[in-house]
Amino acid sequence: MEKGFKYSQLEIARILGEPKDPRKPYPLLVEKICEIDTADPDEYVYYYDVLQDTDKVYTTVANGVTQQAVSPDSPTIFTFVDIASPEYYIKITDLADAKERVLARKVATINRALNAWENYKILTTINAAVQAANIHDLKSGVNHFNFENLIDMIDGLLEYASSFVLVAGTQIDKDIKLWDWTDNKYQSLKEALNDLDVEIIRIKQTVTIDGAATDVLDANTTYLVGIDSEVGKPNLFVRKRLDSIKILGGVISEKGDMPERLIFVSPNPITVTGSARYLAVGVTGYENVVVASTNPYALSKFVRQ
């Protein structure tokens, strides 16, 4: 960026680029437990049931999660929902001095915020989709998540899927790491999980909802997802490619590629009041996604109360 530049929100958006890591375009959780796709700006996303004559899927809508009936001859159309990061600020002095590292860090921050929102959306959808018979809690006389709990969760999914991902809150993850000490000092935890074909993903993230920090996954909750079934992974994740980039956020790609994420820049510098007042540019990440659980029978939940 040349010093002495004229302030332009589109130019700043172009310089910041798309808030997506090309090496890791999706969060690990989404990659592991979702069928992933993209949609063009004018494209609709439908789902056809192939498991039963009439079935239900669970998908995100503007105000939460909804249940929809589907059948082989009556597909359901999914609703795209908006995801936006919090507004972050770049000091005008940093912008004028062309501090690329400052800009790169801000883009990385927006990327992490949007990734956390994607994880939150998929886990919220899974929570609504889990069948009552596959919801588990502590055994009598036991005060932690143990190996028997995991076996019970797997047993409820075996007719519908194999190969599993255990999405663990921080306390559940701690319980698992202590299994060798609390339950069986002679069994390798790594070998036991390999034998069961279970991979663990620990989640410790927050998103901002109505101005308050909200955990992406409660520390005492875990979900087991069967990822190898007749219809693939039990969840669907679709990002929409965003059009009218020159109007919305600047030309991000000289090749004309439509990005999946945008950065909106405030039309004018703003004054930020914190520990000290300073003049800054406001930047917000945005994307449009479909999140759905298409096979609720391959999902299980455990709550450690």
Side-chain angles (χ1 to χ4, degrees), residues 46 52 72 133 136 168 178 187 199-200 223 230 233 253 297:
Y46 292 91
Q52 301 184 17
H136 306 270
L178 289 172
Q187 173 67 48
E199 178 181 355
I200 298 174
Y223 297 99
E230 295 179 0
K233 298 172 184 176
S253 172
Y297 309 103

Side-chain angles (χ1 to χ4, degrees), residues 7 10 35 42 49 55 63 79 107 123 133 149 151 166 194 218 220 251 253 259 276 279 285 288 292 305:
Y7 182 85
L10 300 185
E35 297 292 339
D42 56 352
D49 175 60
D55 208 345
N63 59 348
T79 301
V107 172
L123 291 176
N149 294 134
I151 296 297
L166 189 73
N194 285 342
D218 180 78
N220 292 301
V251 180
S253 172
L279 200 61
N288 201 222
Q305 296 290 357

Side-chain angles (χ1 to χ4, degrees), residues 13 28 35 42 67 77 102 109 117 126 161 186 195 200 228 237 239 243 253 285 296:
L28 177 62
E35 297 292 339
D42 56 352
Q67 174 183 291
I77 183 170
V102 173
T109 298
W117 264 109
I126 289 174
Y186 305 101
D195 289 344
I200 298 174
D228 186 5
F237 182 86
R239 281 192 195 141
D243 202 358
S253 172

Side-chain angles (χ1 to χ4, degrees), residues 4 74 77 104-105 111 117 119 136 145 176 215 218 229 265 276:
S74 299
I77 183 170
R105 286 200 300 270
N111 177 60
W117 264 109
N119 287 344
H136 306 270
F145 179 73
I176 294 170
D215 289 332
D218 180 78
S229 72
V265 180

Side-chain angles (χ1 to χ4, degrees), residues 109-183:
T109 298
I110 292 174
N111 177 60
R112 287 194 300 270
L114 293 175
N115 285 349
W117 264 109
E118 289 179 353
N119 287 344
Y120 179 79
K121 290 290 187 182
I122 189 62
L123 291 176
T124 300
T125 305
I126 289 174
N127 184 67
V130 173
Q131 304 298 287
N134 286 331
I135 298 177
H136 306 270
D137 55 18
L138 291 171
K139 299 284 187 181
S140 178
V142 179
N143 63 0
H144 61 279
F145 179 73
N146 63 18
F147 195 75
E148 188 176 354
N149 294 134
L150 178 59
I151 296 297
D152 288 344
M153 296 176 77
I154 292 173
D155 189 58
L157 308 185
L158 286 176
E159 280 71 32
Y160 297 95
S162 60
S163 295
F164 305 97
V165 172
L166 189 73
V167 188
T170 54
Q171 184 58 56
I172 300 294
D173 182 64
K174 184 177 180 180
D175 285 346
I176 294 170
K177 289 173 179 174
L178 289 172
W179 276 354
D180 289 353
W181 179 259
T182 56
D183 292 333

Side-chain angles (χ1 to χ4, degrees), residues 10 16 33 68 93 104 140 234 242 253 274 283 291 296 301 303:
L10 300 185
L16 290 172
I33 68 173
Q68 295 180 333
T93 52
S140 178
L242 301 170
S253 172
V283 292
V291 178
K301 177 183 179 181
V303 180

